[in-house]
Amino acid sequence: MAAIPTQRESDTYARAAQGRATLPGSPMAPGSARSLVRSAFGEWTGRGLITPDAAARLRDDAMAVVSELVTNAVVHAGTDVEVAWRLEESGAFVVEVSDHHPARPPRDPAGGDGPCDVPEYGRGLRLVATFADSWGVTYRTGAKTVWARLPAGGRPEPVRPGTAHTLDAAEALAPQPQRPGVERDWLGRGALSFLAEASDLLAGQLDENLVTALTGQLIVPRLADWCAVWLEDEASARGGDGGGPARVWHASENRIEELHRALEKDPPRPRDGIRSGPEPYPWPGEALGPAGVRGSALAYRLVAGGRPLGTLVIGRCGPAGFPDEVTGLVEDLGRRVALAIGAARQYTRQVTISAVLQRGLLPGAVAEIPGMRSALVYEPCDSGGPSGDFYDLFPAGDGRWCFAIGDVQGKGPEAAVVIGLARPWLRLLAREGYRVADVLDRLNQLLLDDATEAADAAARALVAAGGRPVAPGDGPQTRFLSLLFGELTPFEGGVRCTLASAGHPLPLLLRPDGEVRTAACPQTLLGVVEDEAYVSETIELRPGDSLLCVTDGVTERRSGSSQFDDGDGLARALSGCAGLSAERIAGRIRRLVHDFGGGVPEDDLALLVLQAE
C-alpha cells in the first residue's frame, strides 16, 4: 500500500492543528484514543480552526476510524502504540497509528501467500477503507504505521454535549429519533462510533441495574420507540418463570407504566437452545395508544459465557418495522450488554462472598469487661476482598479477658487463611490457660508448620504433574503475621494488663495528665523465626488510663513522603486526647488519620482503645 504523504510531499497535508499520544497496548487503548480525538475536535472548534458543523460532520467517523486502527495495532502487535492526528487546512482529518512491533514486509495477496487480513481483527481495516478517501500502511525501520485520511464534508449532525454522569452520557450517546433517510445515513456512518462508545460505557459498570438503565438510554429513541429488559437468574434460565421486566423505557414517559403492565403479562419465551436473536415478539398495541396500533417488536436473548442472562425486547411503531442494519446493530449491542451484566453479577458474587468471609473472620461482638470501657474503629480499605487486619476481645475464663489486634501480610484469600488459623488458636490457647508469651510461641510455630506443609503439598503436586522439584525459596511464601496480644485481669482499683507485641506497632499508654509512653517492647513477626521465644510485660491501668492499640494503617498513613507517626506523631495526637472517653479518643485518632492523608486511606485501618474506669 502507498506510504502516507508527508508535509514536504504535499501541501495538502499542511498541518493546521495536530496532536500525538503514546498509549499502552491494552484493551483500554481504543477508548483512550477516541477520548483524545474527541477532545481535539472540541479544542479545534474552540480555537476557530473548524466550524461546529464541520466538526460534527467529521467527529463520529474520525473516532470510528481511530478506534479501528488502534484496535488492529494493539491486537496484532500487542505493544504500546503511538497515535498522531492532525487537521488540514482543507478541513480533512488525518490519523496515523504506529506500533512498536518490529516491522515486517507487507504480504501481497497476489503473491500467493494468502490474504493478510484473515484474522478477525483485520476485518475492521475494511471498515476504515469505507470511511477514508485514502489509507495505507507504511513500514519504517522498527515500526509500522497505519494511516487514514477522512475528507471534509458529509452530513451535518448536532454536536452531542459531553457529560460526566453515566446515564447522561448514555442519553447523549443515544441520540435522535429515527427519521427515514437520516437514519440510514447514520447507520452507515455513525453506528461504529456509537457501538464503540457504548461498549466503553457499559464495560465500566459493576451494577447490573445500572447496566439495564444504560441499555434503555442507549436504545430509545435512536433505535426503537420502546424497549424492555428481562433478567434471568439460574432458576429462571432453567425454565422457571422469569416474571416481569426489570426495566421498561418508552420515548413518551407517560406510556411506560401501562407498557410495563402489558409486558409483565407476556414475558418472552425463548426457543430451545441459546441464540442471541432476534426473534419476533407479540406487539403490545393496546398499551401504546392510537399511534401504536401497528408496529413490530423483536426479542434478543442476552447470553454471555454460554449462559442466558436475560432478554432484550425492542419495539418500533408503524408498518415499516426495523431495517436490517438496526437489527444487526442491536444484536451487537446486546452482546455487550450481556457481557456487562455477566461481569456485574460476577463482581456482586465476589463482594458477597468476601463480605460473608470477612464476617466469619471477625468476632460477632466485642466483650464487655468489668471496670473497663472499649472503643473500636475498623475500616478495611477494599470491599472486594477480606482485609488483612483483624481484632478480637473475648472472655478467657477465671476472671480474665484477652484482646488481640493483628495485621497479616497481604490481603484477600491468603490473608483469610492466616486469620482463620490465628483467631481460633488465640482463643483456644488463652482459654486453656496459656500465658501471653506462651500463646505467641505456639502460634508462631503453628504458622511455620502450616507454611511448611503447604510448601510440601505444592511440591508434591508439581512433581506428580511432571514439573521440576521446587527449590528452597521457590514455593509458597511464609505467612507473616504482626500481632499485639494481651490479657486483662480486673482487680480492685484497676485492671492488670499483660501484653506482648510481635512485629506490631507498639501500644501507647495515656495517663490522665496527658503523659504518653509505650507499653511493650518490639519483638519479631510471627511466622518468621523458628523457636523464637517471646516475652510479655505487665502494666496496671488505673481509672482514667487509656491503652491505644493500632495497626500500621494508622502509623503509616501517608501524606506525600511523610507518615502519620513520623516524629512520634501518634503519641502527640494521643497526648491531646487526655480526659476524653474511649469512644472520643478512638473518634479523634480516626479523624486525624483521615485528615493527615487528605483522601481515602489506601491501607486497612484498625484501632482499639481500652480505658480503665
Side-chain angles (χ1 to χ4, degrees):
M1 297 180 181
I4 183 169
T6 65
Q7 185 175 6
R8 292 180 180 178
E9 294 169 338
S10 173
D11 291 338
T12 307
Y13 282 84
R15 292 173 290 179
Q18 63 181 345
R20 179 181 295 272
T22 299
L23 304 175
S26 74
M28 303 300 293
S32 300
R34 288 193 296 272
S35 297
L36 291 170
V37 171
R38 187 188 302 108
S39 298
F41 272 98
E43 180 183 348
W44 295 338
T45 303
R47 292 167 52 194
L49 299 177
I50 186 173
T51 66
D53 286 345
R57 287 193 292 270
L58 271 176
R59 188 184 56 248
D60 281 350
D61 290 354
M63 287 193 293
V65 167
V66 168
S67 181
E68 291 298 333
L69 293 182
V70 172
T71 298
N72 277 269
V74 169
V75 174
H76 176 65
T79 62
D80 294 351
V81 297
E82 289 188 8
V83 184
W85 58 91
R86 67 176 182 266
L87 185 69
E88 297 177 345
E89 293 180 357
S90 64
F93 174 82
V94 180
V95 60
E96 296 181 67
V97 177
S98 305
D99 67 53
H100 294 174
H101 195 73
R104 294 188 299 272
R107 296 173 62 188
D108 181 7
D113 290 333
C116 60
D117 59 349
V118 170
E120 178 69 16
Y121 53 77
R123 185 178 61 175
L125 295 178
R126 291 196 290 271
L127 300 176
V128 171
T130 65
F131 289 122
D133 66 343
S134 61
W135 76 282
V137 179
T138 301
Y139 288 85
R140 302 189 179 106
T141 303
K144 180 188 73 176
T145 294
V146 183
W147 60 271
R149 181 180 187 274
L150 300 179
R155 177 183 59 81
E157 287 188 5
V159 178
R160 297 193 296 268
T163 170
H165 192 278
T166 306
L167 291 175
D168 290 344
E171 187 174 4
L173 181 58
Q176 308 300 317
Q178 324 102 26
R179 297 193 301 275
V182 173
E183 177 185 51
R184 189 167 296 276
D185 186 31
W186 176 82
L187 287 168
R189 298 177 61 82
L192 283 175
S193 176
F194 165 81
L195 193 60
E197 294 202 31
S199 298
D200 288 348
L201 199 61
L202 291 166
Q205 310 310 320
L206 298 176
D207 182 341
E208 68 176 89
N209 292 321
L210 182 55
V211 172
T212 57
L214 290 172
T215 303
Q217 297 281 21
L218 290 167
I219 291 177
V220 177
R222 166 67 82 180
L223 302 174
D225 294 318
W226 60 268
C227 75
V229 174
W230 280 259
L231 294 177
E232 300 176 8
D233 55 22
E234 292 185 1
S236 59
R238 290 193 296 265
D241 184 6
R247 294 270 184 167
V248 175
W249 299 263
H250 194 286
S252 299
E253 290 188 10
N254 59 356
R255 292 286 178 191
I256 292 178
E257 187 175 348
E258 188 175 355
L259 178 60
H260 191 287
R261 287 196 297 266
L263 297 177
E264 193 171 24
K265 298 176 182 177
D266 195 7
R269 294 172 175 81
R271 298 178 181 177
D272 293 338
I274 297 177
R275 183 176 179 273
S276 58
E279 300 285 349
Y281 179 84
W283 180 252
E286 295 181 359
L288 302 175
V293 173
R294 298 182 61 189
S296 59
L298 298 173
Y300 296 81
R301 200 81 185 274
L302 301 175
V303 178
R307 295 184 177 183
L309 303 178
T311 302
L312 167 67
V313 174
I314 60 172
R316 181 178 286 196
C317 298
F322 290 98
D324 290 342
E325 296 88 344
V326 170
T327 60
L329 180 60
V330 173
E331 186 169 0
D332 284 341
L333 180 62
R335 294 190 187 101
R336 289 155 174 79
V337 170
L339 289 172
I341 292 174
R345 288 186 175 182
Q346 180 66 23
Y347 175 79
T348 300
R349 283 194 292 269
Q350 290 175 346
V351 169
T352 301
I353 291 171
S354 295
V356 171
L357 182 58
Q358 188 75 65
R359 287 196 298 269
L361 296 174
L362 298 174
V366 176
E368 294 185 4
I369 305 171
M372 294 202 78
R373 298 191 65 176
S374 63
L376 175 74
V377 173
Y378 179 75
E379 295 179 345
C381 68
D382 184 6
S383 61
S387 165
D389 289 4
F390 73 98
Y391 63 88
D392 206 351
L393 183 57
F394 58 91
D398 299 327
R400 299 175 299 122
W401 281 260
C402 289
F403 67 92
I405 184 167
D407 186 359
V408 177
Q409 179 194 36
K411 294 179 175 62
E414 282 295 325
V417 169
V418 179
I419 297 172
L421 283 171
R423 269 196 64 240
W425 275 101
L426 283 173
R427 290 193 167 211
L428 177 63
L429 293 170
R431 287 168 177 168
E432 288 292 322
Y434 285 93
R435 298 175 303 167
V436 168
D438 294 332
V439 170
L440 295 190
D441 288 345
R442 283 157 175 77
L443 184 57
N444 178 60
Q445 194 59 48
L446 173 71
L447 292 174
L448 288 166
D449 291 345
D450 185 70
T452 301
E453 291 174 3
D456 289 345
R460 288 194 298 271
L462 185 61
V463 172
R468 65 176 179 84
V470 180
D474 290 345
Q477 291 186 345
T478 303
R479 292 160 173 172
F480 302 151
L481 168 64
S482 76
L483 180 69
L484 176 65
F485 181 66
E487 179 183 284
L488 302 167
T489 306
F491 67 93
E492 186 175 351
V495 178
R496 185 173 295 106
C497 176
T498 301
L499 72 172
S501 175
H504 201 78
L506 299 180
L508 297 177
L509 175 63
L510 171 66
R511 299 295 189 186
D513 61 358
E515 177 193 354
V516 175
R517 69 175 181 87
T518 57
C521 61
Q523 299 179 80
T524 308
L525 283 165
L526 296 172
V528 177
V529 179
E530 191 88 25
D531 297 328
E532 179 75 1
Y534 291 90
V535 297
S536 62
E537 301 172 55
T538 299
I539 59 174
E540 289 187 355
L541 301 175
R542 298 293 179 176
D545 289 346
S546 300
L547 187 69
L548 174 64
C549 313
V550 303
T551 59
D552 60 11
V554 173
T555 56
E556 298 179 5
R557 171 74 159 143
R558 302 192 69 86
S559 177
S561 60
S562 302
Q563 294 187 356
F564 184 76
D565 199 32
D566 286 351
D568 292 329
L570 181 58
R572 286 187 281 106
L574 182 60
S575 179
C577 298
L580 299 182
S581 66
E583 292 80 2
R584 294 185 63 187
I585 292 175
R588 176 175 288 188
I589 299 297
R590 175 190 176 277
R591 186 183 72 251
L592 291 173
V593 171
H594 276 259
D595 292 346
F596 181 80
V600 178
E602 297 178 353
D603 194 6
D604 304 323
L605 184 153
L607 65 90
L608 174 67
V609 178
L610 300 169
Q611 187 176 73
E613 294 183 315

